[in-house]
Amino acid sequence: MSEIIQFISNNLNMIYILAFAIFLGFEIISKVPTVLHTPLMSGSNAISGLILIGAILLIRVTPSDNYITLILGTLGIVFGSINAFGGFAVTGRMLEMFNKKRKK
Amino acid sequence: MTVFFDILLFISSILLIVGLRKLSHPESANNGNILAAISVGLGIIVSIFYPMETQNNNYLFIALGIIIGGIIGLIAAKKVAMTAMPEMVSLFNGFGGFSAALISLIWLINHNSSGGYADLSVVLFNLFLGFVAFTGSMVAFGKLSGKLKDNHLKIPYASIVNITLLILAVVLIGVFAYQGKLTHVHLILFTVLSIIYGVTFVAPIGGADMPVVISLLNSLTGITAAISGVMTDNKLMLLGGILVGSSGIILTLLMCVAMNRSLVAVLFGSFSSAKAGETAN
């Protein structure tokens, strides 16, 4: 129990951000038109490519001779980058198509 | 010097919120996408150069990973046919989940698979969600691209199996975290359980409901990004992950409404869809 309290007091800032961000996420999306559902899903999927940052931060503190971790970390960065770069590029293409349709 | 990077990270967080906001309006969606991309890019740059206490950097591995992943991602995004976009999103999402699972594994290896109750349960939860998002997205990808038909992967008593596996996973997280240490065998068993649950979770859901499931899995990946943000003490990841997580859940519900289905019917209505498939055969 004391450890849970310790965890909360150590991460109080994070908990505040967490709570506010949940409401913010709800608010931002609540009025989105149906046509934007797929591009928005794709866009938010690309944002979760942020996960790559975690892999970078962990690999930076890994000892240089710990090859198993380094390889796992590099794989993590590769997959995270595919998610981030690919995600934003795909979203861009979807929106391009969407704009063309609107102009016609 | 640290302050400089902290300010950059703050700017990046604001950009992310504005970007997501613009993404949800038809006129500004394209700008929103660009802003969000800039925000993530800025976050990556900050994470590469942020001063840390014990830094071995290993920049070679980081550069290699980003270049390989970036090129694969850009080419895949460019080559994919317009009609195949949803399954591409599913594939990308699965990769994000896999990355989260790898991050949790690295944390466990770096900490010799031991730690406090709170830390261990958070990391194991992240490992579980990451693998579920990964294998779940792969099944969704298979179904959407037509490689996997609804009757290829049949799980008997799917609802009961799923609930049992989920409870087992939660109990195991509790037990391992209480012990404060995992043996290699435990870690491998837990990983296998997570991988299996991802498959059994998505397999019974019919192909027509896949977009909703992808949105749900997308929201799961967001949550893993947020948890990884707590693990590595990065506020941008926490913010972005939670934004994706909460907006993903709302989006899932909105999609259900647009399809005139309830979320429960999508997730547990597998029973009826399997039956319908049988009569069709």
Side-chain angles (χ1 to χ4, degrees):
Chain A
M1 193 65 202
S2 64
E3 216 188 307
I4 295 171
I5 292 169
Q6 183 73 31
F7 185 81
I8 291 174
S9 65
N10 283 347
N11 294 293
L12 201 58
N13 278 336
M14 293 287 199
I15 292 168
Y16 267 90
I17 296 176
L18 191 143
F20 290 141
I22 290 175
F23 286 105
L24 195 59
F26 284 166
E27 280 306 312
I28 289 177
I29 300 306
S30 54
K31 285 185 215 88
V32 63
T34 316
V35 275
L36 272 184
H37 281 176
T38 314
L40 188 64
M41 181 171 82
S42 172
S44 61
N45 168 51
I47 292 175
S48 59
L50 278 172
I51 195 86
L52 147 73
I53 292 176
I56 293 175
L57 289 174
L58 278 177
I59 215 173
R60 283 189 61 200
V61 295
T62 303
S64 305
D65 54 354
N66 192 344
Y67 289 109
I68 297 173
T69 317
L70 283 178
I71 290 168
L72 285 180
T74 311
L75 269 181
I77 293 178
V78 169
F79 283 106
S81 314
I82 294 178
N83 188 353
F85 286 77
F88 284 118
V90 156
T91 315
R93 274 189 67 191
M94 274 185 207
L95 292 171
E96 217 171 89
M97 181 174 69
F98 180 71
N99 283 344
K100 269 185 201 152
K101 264 190 195 159
R102 274 166 56 88
K103 272 177 193 154
K104 268 178 191 169
Chain B
M1 202 54 192
T2 324
V3 181
F4 173 68
F5 287 111
D6 283 331
I7 292 171
L8 273 185
L9 213 55
F10 178 73
I11 294 172
S12 164
S13 306
I14 301 293
L15 280 180
L16 191 70
I17 296 173
V18 177
L20 195 59
R21 173 97 199 134
K22 280 179 181 272
L23 250 178
S24 53
H25 291 281
E27 312 83 43
S28 56
N30 213 1
N31 289 339
N33 186 42
I34 294 166
L35 276 185
I38 293 173
S39 158
V40 172
L42 206 59
I44 293 170
I45 293 169
V46 170
S47 71
I48 292 174
F49 297 108
Y50 197 86
M52 295 166 110
E53 273 173 40
T54 48
Q55 50 185 48
N56 299 303
N57 287 338
N58 305 308
Y59 280 142
L60 180 67
F61 293 90
I62 295 176
L64 210 67
I66 292 180
I67 290 169
I68 295 174
I71 289 174
I72 295 175
L74 289 177
I75 290 176
K78 195 135 212 159
K79 287 237 162 123
V80 63
M82 284 293 177
T83 48
M85 292 281 187
E87 58 230 53
M88 204 66 210
V89 173
S90 175
L91 196 64
F92 287 152
N93 183 49
F95 287 168
F98 190 54
S99 184
L102 285 174
I103 287 173
S104 313
L105 279 179
I106 297 166
W107 190 95
L108 286 169
I109 294 173
N110 277 359
H111 288 75
N112 209 8
S113 291
S114 55
Y117 183 82
D119 286 340
L120 257 191
S121 50
V122 165
V123 174
L124 286 174
F125 184 58
N126 201 21
L127 183 73
F128 178 70
L129 284 187
F131 273 123
V132 169
F134 173 56
T135 51
S137 298
M138 290 302 132
V139 174
F141 168 74
K143 285 200 173 196
L144 273 179
S145 61
K147 291 189 183 81
L148 206 66
K149 294 280 182 312
D150 279 351
N151 52 0
H152 279 171
L153 257 180
K154 267 218 180 104
I155 316 268
Y157 306 106
S159 305
I160 300 169
V161 170
N162 278 333
I163 291 169
T164 315
L165 285 180
L166 187 62
I167 292 173
L168 186 64
V170 172
V171 169
L172 281 181
I173 290 175
V175 170
F176 291 148
Y178 186 73
Q179 284 175 345
K181 188 162 173 56
L182 269 89
T183 63
H184 290 303
V185 181
H186 286 157
L187 188 58
I188 291 168
L189 283 179
F190 186 72
T191 305
V192 171
L193 172 71
S194 314
I195 289 172
I196 291 175
Y197 180 71
V199 176
T200 58
F201 174 61
V202 179
I205 301 172
D209 286 332
M210 274 308 126
V212 177
V213 176
I214 294 173
S215 178
L216 190 68
L217 291 171
N218 180 25
S219 151
L220 277 192
T221 319
I223 294 170
T224 59
I227 298 176
S228 310
V230 176
M231 280 161 57
T232 53
D233 202 24
N234 185 295
K235 292 190 179 63
L236 177 66
M237 273 173 86
L238 175 67
L239 177 79
I242 289 293
L243 278 181
V244 173
S246 65
S247 67
I249 286 171
I250 290 289
L251 193 59
T252 310
L253 293 173
L254 286 177
M255 285 169 114
C256 284
V257 171
M259 287 170 66
N260 226 345
R261 303 259 279 151
S262 78
L263 184 58
V264 178
V266 170
L267 293 183
F268 296 101
S270 47
F271 189 59
S272 54
S273 82
K275 266 197 170 165
E278 267 166 29
T279 46
N281 289 338

